[in-house]
Structure formats: structure tokens, C-alpha cells
Amino acid sequence: MADQFGNKLAKDYMTDVPFENNKSFYVKGMENMDWGMKSRLAKIFNPKSGRTVMLAFDHGYIMGSTAGLERLDLAIPPLAEDVDVFMATRGAMRTCIPPYFDKGLALRVTAGGSVLDDDMSHEVIGVDIEDAIRMNATCMAVQTFIGAPGQKDSIANLVKTIDMGNKYGIPVMGVVAVGKQMERTTKYFLLATRILAELGAHIIKTYYCEDFDKVVAACPVPIVVAGGKKLPEDEALEMTYNAIRQGAAGVDMGRNIFQAEDPKAMAKAVAKVVHENYTGKEAYDYYLSIKK
């Protein structure tokens, strides 16, 4: 067993050296996956840019109704054409999203916490693999708490879902959860993203941080950046640009799209950064030119 004492500090991340094991398939670290897994990953990550724009609207599973998502049936369908993947609960998808919207689905499969809890880290697997298959899930999303009281159970949820996903060719996205008492530092995200990847997660969702290029370089699977709290539109687009520039494979925006002054224009502007290499300023100028 590795000893936590007496180790040399990691220092040479070689952030300017491309990932090595990508010879025939463009998604980072997925060279050795089977055809079905790669087919789903290709629906998540655009084959031309190699990146993804996810739209998270799973907030209701812990927050109930939130601004911008009071009416999922009205708020989300108009945004479908401008994103690659919906991140949502099965209840939201089945009730509010017409099935002919042919988008990837990052299906939220963990449950158990709410904003009423002081500690939300004791979640359970809330969706079985058969229902994920019925939902035609493109990947399954598992919230994982590293450094929280519920870490052991949270990791158990992740590895059980990975085992199920591997059996049926469905990727798993490990979502790095940051609780009220958990730090948001480069050191923490280096630790959490690497743990989730080494346990077998195919995609990692985490937050942007200082020295983010090191976090990306040290993680052998794609990292998608969470939008986090609502920012002014220009700041959100600049964060997206910085994350992509430093190696992120995409973003999973929620509030920074559906709470924007013009959500559809914001979704289009985010896609310009992710897929067309716009700078933050160029994307913001584009947003201003098309917003209602």
C-alpha cells in the first residue's frame, strides 16, 4: 500500500505534451474501450472539435425549483439545438423533454441529499442500469465526494456504476462534488480528479481552478468544467475560454446559461468558444450581437 509519508511532491506535469494513448480514437484515454462505449463518447464529444457543451439542469434533485428552471418544459427545449448533451434526472427528461430531441444524455443516477442537509455526501445509487438503458443514456453521472464524511459510500456508488456501465458499454462521468467545508484548490482538484479517473470513470466533471492545466495533464480521461455559480456573461465566457485553452474537453454550464439574460444567445456563445476557438471577448461580442 502506498505510504502517504516520505513521498516526493509531483512537479513535472509536462503540460505542453499531448496525451500519448490516442492513436485511433480522439477522446482522451478511451483508445482501449469497446465499440459501443466509443460510439456513446462520440455523441458526447464532437468529432470535429473533440469537445462538448453540456447543459446541466439537474439542480432540482437537490434544490427543488430554482430561478430559470421553474418550468423545465418551457426553458430547456429551446436550448437543445445549441448544446451537445443534456445533464438531467430521468424525471425531468421523461416529463419535460420531447424524445425527438436527439441529444446526448448525461443521466444523473445518484440521489439522497438536499439543500436542507448540512452534509449531502451520503448519497445512494438512485437509478438502476436497466432504467439507464431504457432512457438511452449516453453516460451516467455520479456525484462523488472526496474528503467528505460520506466519501466511502460515495466512492462505492461510483465504482458500482462504473462496473454496470462497463458491462453494457455506457460511460460514467464522475462529478467532483465540493461540499460546504471542502476546499477549492489546485491540490484538492488534482487529488479528486485523479482518484475518480483511476477508479475507472470515463469522464470527470470538476471546477476550474488555478493551474488548471496541471489538473488536466495529470488526469488520464477528459475533464469537463462545471459552470458553477452564476457569473456575469462576459466572465462566464472568459472562464470557458481559459478552461478550454488549458485543456478542458468542454464545459457543463447550468446557471450560466439558463439564468443568463438571453439563455439561447448564451448557449450559442459558449459553443463558439468550445467548438470554434473563440476567445472570451469574441464570444461576448457575439453574444451581445444576437441577444434579444
Side-chain angles (χ1 to χ4, degrees), residues 5 20 35 44 52 56 60 62 84 91 113 125 171 189 207 237 254 272:
F5 302 106
E20 176 65 21
W35 191 93
I44 296 170
T52 188
I62 57 170
D84 303 299
I125 298 173
F189 291 124
Y207 292 89
L237 290 166
K272 290 291 185 182

Side-chain angles (χ1 to χ4, degrees), residues 181-202:
Q181 307 303 321
M182 296 158 73
E183 56 184 277
R184 294 172 180 252
T185 63
T186 305
K187 180 181 177 181
Y188 174 78
F189 291 124
L190 278 166
L191 173 69
T193 56
R194 183 64 171 263
I195 288 174
L196 271 57
E198 297 228 9
L199 291 173
H202 307 89

Side-chain angles (χ1 to χ4, degrees), residues 28-42:
K28 184 179 182 181
M30 298 296 110
E31 180 81 9
N32 301 322
M33 299 296 116
D34 64 16
W35 191 93
M37 186 79 75
K38 288 179 178 177
S39 176
R40 288 184 171 88
L41 289 163

Side-chain angles (χ1 to χ4, degrees), residues 207-226:
Y207 292 89
Y208 181 73
C209 63
E210 187 177 356
D211 292 328
F212 185 71
D213 55 343
K214 294 180 180 179
V215 177
V216 171
C219 184
V221 301
I223 287 184
V224 173
V225 171

Side-chain angles (χ1 to χ4, degrees), residues 108-129:
R108 169 71 73 177
V109 299
T110 45
S114 81
V115 290
L116 301 178
D117 300 324
D118 290 330
D119 173 23
M120 296 190 293
S121 67
H122 298 279
E123 291 196 323
V124 299
I125 298 173
V127 178
D128 64 28
I129 189 64

Side-chain angles (χ1 to χ4, degrees), residues 221-260:
V221 301
I223 287 184
V224 173
V225 171
K229 66 181 181 180
K230 176 67 175 73
L231 298 171
E233 283 77 354
D234 59 338
E235 293 181 21
L237 290 166
E238 189 65 24
M239 181 193 72
T240 301
Y241 168 69
N242 287 331
I244 295 299
R245 181 173 56 86
Q246 294 182 58
V251 294
D252 188 10
M253 291 287 191
R255 286 168 287 183
N256 281 300
I257 288 180
F258 64 72
Q259 289 182 352

Side-chain angles (χ1 to χ4, degrees), residues 36 39-40 43-44 85-86 90 93-94 99 101-107 127-140 168-171:
S39 176
R40 288 184 171 88
K43 191 170 183 178
I44 296 170
V85 178
F86 286 145
R90 59 182 174 180
M93 290 298 295
R94 281 187 166 124
F101 282 106
D102 187 26
K103 293 294 173 178
L105 168 60
L107 180 64
V127 178
D128 64 28
I129 189 64
E130 288 82 6
D131 208 27
I133 294 169
R134 279 191 292 269
M135 291 290 299
N136 199 24
T138 321
C139 73
M140 297 180 287
Y168 294 100
I170 303 176

